[in-house]
Amino acid sequence: MLDRRSFLQAAAKTAAAAAVTTRLEPAFAQGAPAPASPNDNIQLALVGAGIQGQFDTKTAIQVPGVKLVAVADCYDGRLAHSKELWGADIFTTRDYREILARKDVDAVLIATPDHWHKTVAVDAMKAGKDVYLEKPMIHIYPNGPEIIDTARSTNRILQVGSQRVSSIVYAKAKELLASGAIGKLNMVTAWWDRNSAIGAWDYSIPLDASTETCDWPQFLGSAPKIPWNAEHFFQWRKWKAYGSGVAGDLFVHLFSGTHFITGSKGPTRAMATGGLRYWKDGRDVYDVLLALFDYPEDFNLSLRVNFVDGGEEGEGFIFVGSEGQMIIAGQSVTVNRVPRESEPGYTISTFTEAMQKEYLEAYRKKYPIEHFSGPVPEAIEKFAPPAGYSDSYDHFHNFFNSVRSRQPVVEDATFGFRAAGAALLSNLSAEKGTVVHWNPETMKVTEKS
């Protein structure tokens, strides 16, 4: 069993190697200009200052040499709070395009509702900004190729915000799987269960929410035009028009982790089912979703999200192999191994006594009794990072390193599209009530595998 220092050293090496092996796009950003901000700061702007946007920004500005200079959001209260958090000199606006026009902005952190991801990302890259784009990268399938093509044509850095790709825990899991620690992989099971109103996206609505304080037309964007609705504005994940359901919010994290650890580009076939079991509050997305996926690497993936979990909330992975299991729970990875039997055994009790004796004599010639000797094999190995470790910080650190060096990011647009595209297969299958097919190489929904 590795001690903590050995684990961290090994994980750091693996993370560095993984940053190379998971780059699925060419180094398109090489040669593009690096930031030229005063004091060599990377000057960052936030577009979408909701719960995730503010959390991301608080983490991002912990990276040395990063300064927040502007915030855009459709709710005045969040713009005011941004000044409370980060200073009265922060430029704030309801219109993200005013931020993109500023020459002092080097990079943009996009944490808008899903239906705005593509538009803001494409506009930002065309304006010469590098982009950190929250997951899921896409809201609908046509978004993916446009984001990928724009990143290439503009020579801008774009990283998708699934922090597991930068985690030293997941890097260690990747190393363990590749080393044969659990034998040949045959199945992955992953889940994300919640048991609270907030976990089910029932977010608080400010008392001053109105068309006076909220830019409703700007929020709607490409979504269907409907009268002002505070629930839609502040709890947007509950509707297909703005979000991608539990698949886009949570399955996509599980896909990112699976693809990073296994090196796979994605599944070829998906089957999903689910329903609205408890949170019948007007939303039009499921609160329970189950899905199965076939992978060309000869393993299956089983996913579950349950917002009606009557027990403890939690998430995790079980990677099942021919020689053991690897479990990721929170910030740790554990390998469990139960030695396989050295002989097949026998079922001879229904035979005659004479046949039992004859069979057993032949069996023992082929499989003589062997008594164990030597050191006791280690059945359980557990690896965990030090207290306070943050993969979110590492993900931003990697992004800003790429912004400075113009080297490829750890989670580019192609990786992000393959994770989000696979996740949205769940919605497609559940809606159609049928199996759906996906080509992970071309990143397209197909008629057959």
Side-chain angles (χ1 to χ4, degrees):
M1 182 172 180
L2 293 181
D3 58 24
R4 178 168 289 176
R5 176 175 294 179
S6 300
F7 165 53
L8 293 175
Q9 291 174 343
K13 293 178 181 178
T14 306
V20 175
T21 58
T22 58
R23 292 169 190 154
L24 304 178
E25 292 180 3
F28 56 82
Q30 293 186 24
S37 299
N39 303 317
D40 199 32
N41 276 330
I42 295 174
Q43 302 209 143
L44 178 69
L46 169 64
V47 178
I51 297 170
Q52 190 63 47
Q54 291 192 23
F55 172 83
D56 281 348
T57 302
K58 290 173 184 177
T59 304
I61 61 176
Q62 293 176 32
V63 178
V66 176
K67 179 182 179 182
L68 182 72
V69 297
V71 176
D73 195 88
C74 294
Y75 169 49
D76 292 345
R78 286 177 176 153
L79 298 178
H81 189 50
S82 293
K83 288 181 177 290
E84 292 172 346
L85 288 171
W86 298 303
D89 60 333
I90 298 295
F91 174 77
T92 60
T93 177
R94 287 181 171 187
D95 189 346
Y96 75 92
R97 292 169 295 186
E98 292 186 6
I99 280 179
L100 301 187
R102 293 176 66 95
K103 293 183 179 180
D104 63 340
V105 172
D106 303 308
V108 176
L109 194 171
I110 301 171
T112 63
D114 301 353
H115 75 301
W116 269 106
H117 282 187
K118 185 269 294 184
T119 299
V120 181
V122 167
D123 287 350
M125 289 185 285
K126 288 182 177 179
K129 316 302 182 186
D130 295 322
V131 170
Y132 183 103
L133 179 58
E134 257 301 335
K135 58 77 199 165
M137 190 183 91
I138 63 169
H139 184 231
I140 55 176
Y141 282 103
N143 294 165
E146 186 172 354
I147 293 173
I148 292 171
D149 292 344
T150 303
R152 287 174 172 158
S153 65
T154 59
N155 287 333
R156 303 320 305 173
I157 294 287
L158 183 139
Q159 175 159 298
V160 181
S162 294
Q163 66 271 20
R164 286 155 182 75
V165 177
S166 291
S167 168
I168 60 173
V169 174
Y170 283 67
K172 184 60 185 178
K174 182 181 180 74
E175 176 194 285
L176 287 167
L177 182 65
S179 72
I182 62 171
K184 185 180 185 306
L185 182 68
N186 59 69
M187 186 171 71
V188 181
T189 299
W191 64 94
W192 199 316
D193 293 338
R194 293 178 173 179
N195 193 27
S196 66
I198 292 176
W201 311 320
D202 198 8
Y203 304 136
S204 302
I205 297 174
L207 301 179
D208 66 348
S210 70
T211 54
E212 297 292 323
T213 60
C214 301
D215 191 336
W216 179 240
Q218 176 75 359
F219 168 85
L220 286 177
S222 61
K225 304 303 180 282
I226 62 173
W228 160 250
N229 188 308
E231 287 77 16
H232 283 230
F233 190 100
F234 288 98
Q235 301 172 355
W236 55 266
R237 292 190 186 278
K238 292 161 41 173
W239 287 275
K240 298 175 185 176
Y242 327 110
S244 310
V246 297
D249 186 31
L250 300 176
F251 271 11
V252 70
H253 278 306
L254 305 178
F255 275 108
S256 296
T258 298
H259 293 178
F260 175 76
I261 291 169
T262 64
S264 177
K265 294 179 179 179
T268 55
R269 195 167 70 130
M271 298 150 278
T273 188
L276 192 55
R277 310 303 184 197
Y278 180 82
W279 297 100
K280 299 179 181 180
D281 52 5
R283 68 182 68 196
D284 63 7
V285 295
Y286 293 163
D287 55 12
V288 173
L289 187 64
L290 312 169
L292 302 172
F293 303 86
D294 293 339
Y295 272 76
E297 291 83 3
D298 206 24
F299 70 87
N300 286 90
L301 172 65
S302 170
L303 299 183
R304 179 189 80 232
V305 165
N306 186 353
F307 280 0
V308 203
D309 176 28
E312 293 184 359
E313 299 189 1
E315 59 168 300
F317 287 86
I318 302 176
F319 291 78
V320 180
S322 58
E323 306 297 331
Q325 297 184 353
M326 181 171 68
I327 301 168
I328 298 177
Q331 292 277 43
S332 68
V333 55
T334 303
V335 174
N336 294 331
R337 302 183 189 91
V338 175
R340 187 177 294 277
E341 295 176 343
S342 59
E343 57 184 70
Y346 46 83
T347 55
I348 61 176
S349 61
T350 60
F351 302 169
T352 65
E353 291 186 3
M355 179 54 68
Q356 289 185 44
K357 182 178 179 181
E358 182 180 348
Y359 186 99
L360 193 57
E361 287 176 353
Y363 181 88
R364 281 303 169 206
K365 285 182 180 178
K366 187 174 183 179
Y367 302 104
I369 295 175
E370 294 183 1
H371 295 284
F372 177 80
S373 62
V376 177
E378 187 137 39
I380 299 177
E381 294 181 82
K382 184 172 183 177
F383 310 88
Y389 172 73
S390 170
D391 52 7
S392 293
Y393 175 87
D394 276 1
H395 207 44
F396 275 109
H397 190 273
N398 290 338
F399 168 65
F400 292 123
N401 276 348
S402 293
V403 170
R404 291 183 184 282
S405 68
R406 315 315 293 171
Q407 295 299 309
V409 292
V410 295
E411 186 180 4
D412 61 24
T414 300
F415 186 104
F417 185 30
R418 284 180 169 138
L424 296 192
L425 292 175
S426 310
N427 291 341
L428 189 60
S429 174
E431 289 169 2
K432 288 186 172 184
T434 187
V435 173
V436 294
H437 299 273
W438 171 256
N439 185 323
E441 295 287 344
T442 63
M443 296 170 284
K444 292 180 180 179
V445 177
T446 62
E447 291 300 321
K448 59 181 179 179
S449 58

